[in-house]
Amino acid sequence: MTKQHSRRAFLAGGATAATAVAATAVSATAAMASGDGGVKIANLADVKPGVPVDFNYPDDALAYLVDMGRSVPGGLGPNSSLVAYSGLCQHRGCPIDYSSDQALFICPCHRSIFDPSNSGVVVEGPSQRGLPRVTLEIRQGSVYATGIENGPVYGRACSNS
Ligand code: FES
């Protein structure tokens, strides 16, 4: 069985699912504006390999920060392993899930699959576009979202808000 993490499942699944998700996923429910052009996602020390942190960016849109557990192209942090992407599928905007077992984002609606270790490209499925990437910075031990690459985020008119 595949471990998957999603805010959608958390909200729709009731107490049992909520407990299961809460045990393995981290939610940045209080993302805060830094006051200097970024949005704080999490303390770097709290981000664990394979455990996605969901946050909202560039507005209330779902996004995920993931430590891939190994160096990946464009990765940030001490191991060049931190990446972040929009959590909205580029096919029709469904919230996607992160599979820790497969290290892939999977859309539950029509099963588009995206690879966060390879710039969010489409691995399979109907989406014609890869996931927009959230650019990151680390400041004083915290990870901040600072912009969008390869946007726009699904349903948004421009790459940055
Ligand atoms: S909305 Fe994601 S595959 Fe269709």
Side-chain angles (χ1 to χ4, degrees), residues 14 103 111 145:
R111 203 164 169 78

Side-chain angles (χ1 to χ4, degrees), residues 89-94 96 107-112 114 125-127:
C89 181
Q90 292 296 297
H91 180 224
R92 293 188 184 166
C94 285
I96 58 176
C107 179
C109 291
H110 313 102
R111 203 164 169 78
S112 284
F114 306 91
S127 180

Side-chain angles (χ1 to χ4, degrees), residues 80-140:
S80 302
S81 58
L82 296 175
V83 293
Y85 292 93
S86 169
L88 300 181
C89 181
Q90 292 296 297
H91 180 224
R92 293 188 184 166
C94 285
I96 58 176
D97 301 328
Y98 182 72
S99 167
S100 296
D101 291 344
Q102 300 174 77
L104 296 169
F105 286 111
I106 301 172
C107 179
C109 291
H110 313 102
R111 203 164 169 78
S112 284
I113 299 177
F114 306 91
D115 186 354
S117 66
N118 186 21
S119 302
V121 298
V122 179
V123 175
E124 65 179 61
S127 180
Q128 297 297 304
R129 295 183 52 222
L131 294 174
R133 188 170 192 150
V134 179
T135 56
L136 301 172
E137 289 182 21
I138 297 175
R139 302 180 204 144
Q140 300 179 330

Side-chain angles (χ1 to χ4, degrees), residues 2-81:
T2 301
K3 279 192 290 185
Q4 293 187 348
H5 309 280
S6 76
R7 175 178 291 173
R8 181 184 46 76
F10 182 86
L11 294 174
T16 302
T19 301
V21 171
T24 56
V26 178
S27 180
T29 54
M32 300 177 295
S34 67
D36 55 354
V39 172
K40 181 178 176 181
I41 303 170
N43 295 322
L44 181 59
D46 295 334
V47 183
K48 306 301 181 195
V51 181
V53 177
D54 61 86
F55 62 102
N56 299 111
Y57 196 82
D59 43 35
D60 63 347
L62 174 64
Y64 288 106
L65 169 69
V66 182
D67 183 341
M68 301 305 298
R70 62 183 173 85
S71 176
V72 295
L76 192 70
N79 300 314
S80 302
S81 58

